[in-house]
């Protein structure tokens, strides 16, 4: 089982407008409302690829009900969310059809009590015993300690699961000592966490603090991954047009001859870039164009940069 964790689940509301102009009123052309949060979006992409998953996290109130109702429509997804008394948050994204840019407004989320957190950690420990991979994604709602992800990473690792962490700030730094197998900040989050603007150097610092593999998304610069076996980068002069936040980054790609053999980490990096590129043109978070993904998998080239820094 793949278990995705979204502690601060949301109802994602996406408005499409012809052009976003500050200090004016807008007529909304399209509206999408769906369950969201980074871990929920991971589960949606897994569903699109024919892989089932279980979703856990915290939801509550009328918004939480809408989130759970929407999740029932996703094939292969199992709802293991834990209720809280507060109302779950909404996010509002305004997409300008003129240039494809998106402006995002994120609410903070419901306040989580100590009793609610204990109820969640008990459920999580039970679920983790049946999971092969656990992804822990997104911000922490108010009330949770900054070492919340550290606790969950330790629990999952003790259960024998591979852990993937996608968060930022103190929750990211606090979790590194627990030894997550993969962490995935973007370049801005990485710089903020380490105080270092050099991606390679900052990624090496996260590995030195306990991360197994560090995968950094860098907008137009593509993806950089440093593993125990080496470091790989993916760049190209041609960008996928669409909404970059939908794929986690604006990914560039270049066609070359056909598939070629790569070391396993480099191959996974190539598939990640292809999958992100296939998400960029989609109108809402969590969607991916499966046909584009299959085409991009053989079009992505990966550069072997150098041997990894010592852990």
């Amino acid at each position: 089982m793949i278990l995705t964790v979204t502690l601060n689940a949301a109802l994602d509301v996406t408005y499409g407008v012809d052009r976003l102009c500050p200090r004016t009123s807008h007529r909304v052309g399209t509206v999408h409302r769906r369950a969201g949060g980074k871990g929920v979006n991971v589960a949606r992409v897994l569903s699109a690829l024919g892989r089932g998953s279980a979703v856990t996290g915290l939801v509550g109130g009328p918004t939480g009900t809408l989130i759970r109702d929407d999740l029932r429509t996703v094939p292969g997804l199992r709802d293991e969310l834990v209720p809280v008394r507060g109302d779950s948050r909404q996010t509002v994204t305004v997409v300008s059809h003129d240039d494809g840019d998106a402006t995002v407004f994120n609410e903070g989320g419901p306040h989580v009590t100590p009793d609610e957190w204990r109820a969640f950690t008990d459920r999580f420990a039970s679920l983790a015993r049946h999971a092969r991979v656990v992804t822990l994604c997104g911000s922490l709602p108010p009330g949770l300690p900054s070492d919340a992800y550290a606790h969950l990473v330790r629990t999952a690792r003790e259960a024998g699961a591979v852990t993937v962490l996608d968060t930022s700030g103190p929750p990211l730094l606090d979790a590194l000592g627990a030894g997550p197998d993969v962490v995935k900040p973007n370049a801005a989050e990485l710089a903020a966490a380490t105080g270092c603007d050099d991606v390679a150097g900052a990624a090496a610092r996260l590995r030195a603090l306990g991360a197994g593999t560090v995968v950094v998304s860098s907008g137009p610069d593509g993806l950089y991954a440093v593993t125990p076996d080496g470091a790989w980068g993916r760049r190209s002069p041609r960008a996928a047009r669409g909404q970059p936040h939908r794929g986690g980054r604006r990914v560039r790609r270049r066609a070359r001859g056909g598939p070629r053999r790569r070391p396993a980490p480099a191959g996974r990096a190539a598939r990640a870039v292809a999958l992100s590129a296939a998400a960029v043109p989609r109108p809402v978070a969590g969607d991916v164009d499966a046909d584009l993904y299959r085409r991009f998998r053989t079009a992505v080239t990966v550069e072997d940069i150098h041997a990894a820094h010592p852990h």
Side-chain angles (χ1 to χ4, degrees):
M1 180 180 71
I2 298 175
L3 177 65
T4 73
V5 178
T6 309
L7 294 178
N8 207 4
L11 183 69
D12 287 343
V13 182
T14 303
Y15 292 146
V17 300
D18 290 336
R19 175 180 292 184
L20 182 61
C21 302
R23 299 178 298 277
T24 65
S25 63
H26 296 76
R27 185 172 297 278
V28 176
T30 58
V31 180
H32 299 278
R33 291 183 177 88
R34 67 191 311 183
K38 286 186 177 180
V40 170
N41 292 336
V42 169
R44 286 189 184 279
V45 173
L46 288 171
S47 175
L49 298 177
R51 297 292 300 271
S53 62
V55 172
T56 192
L58 300 165
V59 295
T63 306
T65 299
L66 293 174
I67 291 170
R68 302 188 86 157
D69 288 345
D70 183 67
L71 290 179
R72 293 190 187 97
T73 68
V74 182
L77 188 150
R78 196 170 93 219
D79 178 352
E80 294 287 353
L81 293 164
V82 175
V84 297
R85 291 189 63 184
D87 192 32
S88 291
R89 66 187 179 127
Q90 294 187 68
T91 69
V92 177
T93 301
V94 182
V95 178
S96 171
H97 297 309
D98 180 60
D99 54 17
D101 284 346
T103 302
V104 184
F105 302 88
N106 292 315
E107 296 180 3
H111 186 276
V112 179
T113 68
D115 286 345
E116 290 168 339
W117 176 234
R118 281 191 291 271
F120 174 79
T121 56
D122 289 346
R123 173 76 66 84
F124 176 80
S126 176
L127 292 168
R129 287 194 290 270
H130 304 283
R132 183 170 60 87
V133 178
V134 176
T135 70
L136 306 117
C137 307
S139 63
L140 298 180
L144 292 192
S146 65
D147 66 349
Y149 279 132
H151 175 79
L152 299 182
V153 168
R154 290 190 187 97
T155 300
R157 286 178 61 83
E158 289 169 2
V162 173
T163 55
V164 181
L165 177 65
D166 183 358
T167 190
S168 59
L172 169 62
L173 293 175
D174 287 349
L176 294 176
D181 293 289
V182 180
V183 298
K184 199 226 72 67
N186 61 38
E189 293 166 344
L190 180 66
T194 63
C196 177
D197 291 329
D198 174 63
V199 171
R205 290 188 190 183
L206 294 195
R207 280 198 17 89
L209 290 172
T213 290
V214 180
V215 179
V216 185
S217 51
S218 303
D221 292 328
L223 179 149
Y224 176 85
V226 56
T227 79
D229 301 314
W232 289 268
R234 176 66 206 104
R235 298 180 181 181
S236 173
R238 182 181 176 186
R241 178 172 173 78
Q243 300 168 49
H245 71 290
R246 297 308 186 193
R249 55 196 169 268
R250 186 181 300 274
V251 179
R252 299 185 175 199
R253 72 252 186 223
R254 178 179 60 196
R256 176 177 289 182
R260 60 188 177 89
R261 295 180 62 85
R262 304 184 177 102
R268 286 192 289 270
R271 291 194 296 273
V273 171
L275 190 58
S276 296
V280 168
R282 304 300 293 173
V284 290
D287 273 359
V288 64
D289 188 316
D291 289 336
L292 281 179
Y293 169 58
R294 286 188 287 269
R295 286 165 48 196
F296 291 163
R297 282 183 62 176
T298 58
V300 170
T301 59
V302 175
E303 177 186 2
D304 188 347
I305 297 174
H306 53 69
H309 294 270
H311 196 338

